[in-house]
Amino acid sequence: MQATSGQGFGGIARLLHWLTVFLIIALYALGWYMADLELTDPDKFRLYQIHKSIGITVLVLAVLRLLWRLTYEAPAWPAHMAPWERLAAAGAHWALYGLLLLQPLLGVLQSNAANFPIVFWGGYELPALIGPNETVAKILLNLHHLLANVLAVLVLLHVAAALRHHIQLKDDVLRNMMPSAGLGGAAVALALVLIAPPFILTERTEQPVAAAGGEAAETAAPAAVAAPAVVADAERSEDVPAADAWAVLDGSELGFVARQQGSDVTGSFGSFDAEIVFDPNDLEASRISVDIDVTSITTGHSDRDKTLNSASFFDTATWPSAAFKSDRITAAGEGTSEAAATYEAVGTLTMRDVTMEVVLPFSLTIEDDPNDSKTSLAQAKGELPIRRLDYGIGQGDWASTVTVADEVVITIDIKASKPKG
């Protein structure tokens, strides 16, 4: 139904307007609160996801309001308004529309560039529009903050102008947009329906977890994706003949996949030393030893990496390294022309001050080096699910599995070479 100056705005327009108002208030309140939280506070990451979800909702509402504005005629301006006042009012309205569209989009792009997935209202992970880039992320964040201040100023001017029309000029400008009691209640109810569940469900779905060494409640296993890592040259023990040891090649990867707020987060260790003695015909003499520089951990976001290095997680100031050692390797399946041979490395994994026995399954292919007939090339791939809480990774509030799941998948993709014979 087309609106006229006598009727004011229609019910749909008023509902969209006031729903947007309540959500914008929630956005600013969350923004101010979460910005002051410490990086080691789990609520910071949870509130950021809620903030992003509200922002995307405002973007959708802004699109709907813009479509309505282009389709239906708004009430006419009061006759007493001067031409420059009408021009200023129209300019302010279109600037508000533009910012309500641009601000959420900037937030989405900044989150993509910062390598933080966006899980819309905890149920759907939005595809990234751009790839990770820390420099771009900082630029977008600064622009997002700047435009947030501009939007706040425009909103205050908008409110002041509406109050001036109502109190001083005594016209119908404010009354044209004021909702009825039922419509206002509906807008508040819709805003609460959107905002309240993430807070309520977070509290209800939190699972009790045991201390380090105990069984944890979280059971969901994410898909494993290894992140690139820069590998140090393998160090050989003096008692290992050079012909029996494999040299780890550049391009090898030691990574992990964790689940944060329902989304996979991949990371890697940029530095590790590996000693690999392996002969498929002499498994009893085969062994693997890997020393990992935990301080080289990276997930593509500096703030998250600082949190992982903190006392709440790896506490790298106290325990800067981790280690995997295995001296018992067994065959699990023979390779074919279409599939690699599979093995299991039984050993121990040490992180922080906890050592536990683990079994690492891996597939292995060995072939001739196409560039050197006297050299063999090998590639081993494997996934090792562990529970971070068993190793004490997640202290204090981070022992909860609400923000970060207990299960983490360690992934390996090791490339190595060895002279034949």
Side-chain angles (χ1 to χ4, degrees):
M1 178 177 178
Q2 186 171 349
T4 67
S5 58
Q7 295 174 318
F9 288 92
I12 293 177
R14 298 187 193 205
L15 179 63
L16 292 175
H17 175 274
W18 290 103
L19 180 56
T20 301
V21 168
F22 295 135
L23 292 180
I24 288 176
I25 292 173
L27 278 173
Y28 276 95
L30 273 176
W32 284 322
Y33 176 73
M34 68 190 188
D36 292 332
L37 294 177
E38 298 293 333
L39 287 175
T40 53
D41 191 332
D43 283 340
K44 189 179 185 76
F45 297 94
R46 182 170 61 90
L47 293 178
Y48 264 93
Q49 285 288 12
I50 296 174
H51 180 85
K52 294 170 188 176
S53 294
I54 296 175
I56 294 172
T57 303
V58 169
L59 173 62
V60 174
L61 291 175
V63 171
L64 293 177
R65 291 188 64 193
L66 186 58
L67 291 175
W68 181 96
R69 184 68 179 81
L70 295 174
T71 305
Y72 291 86
E73 182 182 351
W77 295 112
H80 62 76
M81 287 183 65
W84 71 267
E85 290 180 304
R86 299 184 185 189
L87 182 62
H93 276 87
W94 287 110
L96 283 171
Y97 279 123
L99 286 175
L100 291 179
L101 294 171
L102 182 59
Q103 267 295 79
L105 182 58
L106 282 176
V108 169
L109 294 176
Q110 190 277 330
S111 190
N112 295 159
N115 197 26
F116 261 101
I118 300 176
V119 183
F120 187 58
W121 293 121
Y124 175 70
E125 182 176 340
L126 300 182
L129 301 179
I130 60 175
N133 188 310
E134 192 166 357
T135 301
V136 172
K138 290 179 180 179
I139 294 173
L140 292 174
L141 181 62
N142 291 333
L143 185 58
H144 189 64
H145 288 166
L146 173 63
L147 293 186
N149 293 330
V150 174
L151 177 61
V153 170
L154 280 177
V155 168
L156 291 175
L157 291 174
H158 182 68
V159 172
L163 292 176
R164 174 176 176 267
H165 278 278
H166 187 71
I167 297 172
Q168 181 182 356
L169 302 179
K170 301 185 184 303
D171 55 32
D172 293 332
V173 168
L174 180 58
R175 278 188 288 269
N176 283 340
M177 186 54 82
M178 288 299 294
S180 63
L183 197 61
V188 173
L190 282 174
L192 290 176
V193 166
L194 289 172
I195 298 172
F199 293 96
I200 297 173
L201 292 176
T202 293
E203 296 300 322
R204 290 183 177 179
T205 57
E206 182 169 353
Q207 300 292 330
V209 295
E215 184 177 357
E218 185 71 32
T219 58
V225 181
V230 178
V231 181
D233 291 336
E235 293 183 352
R236 299 190 180 101
S237 300
E238 294 180 357
D239 59 343
V240 180
D244 293 335
W246 291 81
V248 177
L249 302 176
D250 290 341
S252 296
E253 301 169 348
L254 177 57
F256 63 90
V257 181
R259 243 183 129 65
Q260 180 179 330
Q261 295 175 324
S263 178
D264 287 351
V265 174
T266 63
S268 65
F269 297 96
S271 177
F272 61 90
D273 296 327
E275 178 187 283
I276 302 173
V277 178
F278 182 85
D279 184 346
N281 299 315
D282 189 5
L283 294 180
E284 290 187 1
S286 300
R287 62 183 184 271
I288 302 171
S289 178
V290 182
D291 292 316
I292 306 163
D293 178 6
V294 183
T295 64
S296 69
I297 192 170
T298 177
T299 61
H301 192 280
S302 58
D303 286 346
R304 184 163 49 205
D305 296 343
K306 290 177 183 176
T307 302
L308 290 174
N309 277 279
S310 72
S312 297
F313 281 88
F314 285 100
D315 193 5
T316 55
T318 306
W319 295 286
S321 62
F324 171 77
K325 298 184 185 299
S326 171
D327 57 5
R328 183 156 62 95
I329 301 174
T330 60
E334 294 183 358
T336 66
S337 59
E338 297 179 354
T342 56
Y343 299 88
E344 291 183 344
V346 180
T348 59
L349 178 63
T350 301
M351 292 188 291
R352 290 180 65 110
D353 57 344
V354 178
T355 298
M356 301 189 69
E357 183 173 298
V358 296
V359 178
L360 169 64
F362 64 94
S363 62
L364 178 69
T365 57
I366 300 177
E367 58 187 9
D368 292 340
D369 186 341
N371 299 318
D372 184 356
S373 60
K374 297 181 180 181
T375 301
S376 295
L377 296 178
Q379 182 174 17
K381 294 183 178 182
E383 299 176 0
L384 173 61
I386 65 167
R387 298 189 182 277
R388 63 179 177 87
L389 296 175
D390 288 347
Y391 295 87
I393 300 175
Q395 301 288 315
D397 291 337
W398 289 105
S400 164
T401 58
V402 170
T403 303
V404 179
D406 187 18
E407 187 167 75
V408 177
V409 177
I410 298 174
T411 62
I412 66 165
D413 185 356
I414 304 298
K415 302 175 179 65
S417 66
K418 185 182 75 168
K420 291 183 178 179

